[in-house]
Every structure is written in C-alpha cells, then in structure tokens.
Amino acid sequence: MEYPYKKYVISDDQERVHIPTMIDFVTTSYCGNKRSPEKIKKSIQNSVCYGVYDEDKMIAFARLITDGATTYYLCDVFVLEDYRGQGISKKLIEVITNAPELEWMSGVLATKDAHGLYSQYGFEIENDRFMRRQPQGRQQ
C-alpha cells in the first residue's frame, strides 16, 4: 500500500527499500551497530518494511517483526537528518499503528530517547527501554 504525506509517499513495498541507506543507518545506530550488512539484508527480507520516499529516495524507514497473529516488534525506525523536523516519524508511526492488519495485535518496541513519539500512538512505557501497545481493534 502507498500512503501520501505532504510531497512524500509512505510505502510497505519491500522492493522499494534502499538497502545501502539501510546499511548506512543501521551500522551507525546504537541499536544495530554490531550487525553486518548481510544480517541487515536478511532482516529486511524477513520483515514487514515501511519506507518513506521523496520521489525515489528513501528518507525514512521502520521495520516490523511479526508472527502475523498476535504481536509485532517495531524496530530500526529512522528519518534521515536532512528530513527531520517535518513530522515524518509521526506520520510513519501513525500509518503503522493504524494498519488494519496490525491494529488488533500487541506492539512492542525498544527506544532510548523517543518515548514521547511512541506514547502519542498508544505505546506505554514498561521500563526504561521497552514500550508496549495493547491491541486497539477486535481480533480477527
């Protein structure tokens, strides 16, 4: 699916994910700096991925690990520095948490510093690092 946002497009089309951008971000992040490029590629192949695109350039990303039935784990969320401050991360999380296939699942994530962002979308702090979102819809 594609979701318009300002002049950008949010898409869950895994074929659009720009692997070099992912590798550049993840290998320098606090959450993935020990992952090899091969592990990053495999993680993308085995996940539900949402990218935000400025024409063909991937400018933001979020990855979901899920069993497709009860729970998803939200990870590797980022917005490229030149695009921050435009509400892109908010719109990306809004699209994900409102996706019909996810709204009836529990959501889990870990963050060091973005508790305020995620709490706007129903995630509650469980401890210093982890947050959980209860199912919002009816289980199918």
Side-chain angles (χ1 to χ4, degrees):
M1 298 267 325
E2 288 194 354
Y3 309 88
Y5 176 66
K6 295 185 178 182
K7 64 178 184 174
Y8 309 121
V9 172
I10 300 172
S11 174
D12 62 359
D13 181 356
Q14 196 174 61
E15 296 297 316
R16 289 190 75 178
V17 175
H18 190 252
I19 303 297
T21 300
M22 280 300 303
I23 291 170
D24 287 348
F25 175 79
V26 174
T27 57
T28 60
S29 70
Y30 69 83
C31 60
N33 61 10
K34 292 183 174 35
R35 288 185 223 159
S36 68
E38 294 75 27
K39 291 280 185 192
I40 295 167
K41 289 177 194 174
K42 189 169 185 171
S43 71
I44 292 166
Q45 292 169 353
N46 293 314
S47 300
V48 176
C49 300
Y50 285 81
V52 182
Y53 301 90
D54 183 356
E55 295 183 9
D56 289 333
K57 180 180 181 181
M58 188 174 80
I59 61 168
F61 181 83
R63 185 168 69 87
L64 296 164
I65 303 165
T66 182
D67 62 8
T70 62
T71 307
Y72 65 86
Y73 180 74
L74 176 61
C75 56
D76 296 341
V77 179
F78 71 87
V79 176
L80 294 180
E81 194 167 337
D82 290 347
Y83 291 86
R84 293 179 186 165
Q86 298 181 48
I88 294 169
S89 61
K90 289 180 182 178
K91 187 63 177 180
L92 180 58
I93 302 306
E94 176 187 309
V95 165
I96 291 169
T97 56
N98 288 322
E101 64 274 15
L102 299 171
E103 69 181 350
W104 47 271
M105 289 189 215
S106 294
V108 180
L109 62 87
T111 184
K112 276 175 111 175
D113 54 8
H115 298 86
L117 167 65
Y118 298 114
S119 65
Q120 294 174 56
Y121 300 95
F123 287 91
E124 297 177 353
I125 297 172
E126 290 210 333
N127 62 37
D128 290 344
R129 198 97 186 237
F130 288 93
M131 298 183 77
R132 178 178 302 278
R133 182 176 193 264
Q134 296 302 319
Q136 303 298 304
R138 292 187 153 182
Q139 191 168 1
Q140 299 176 347

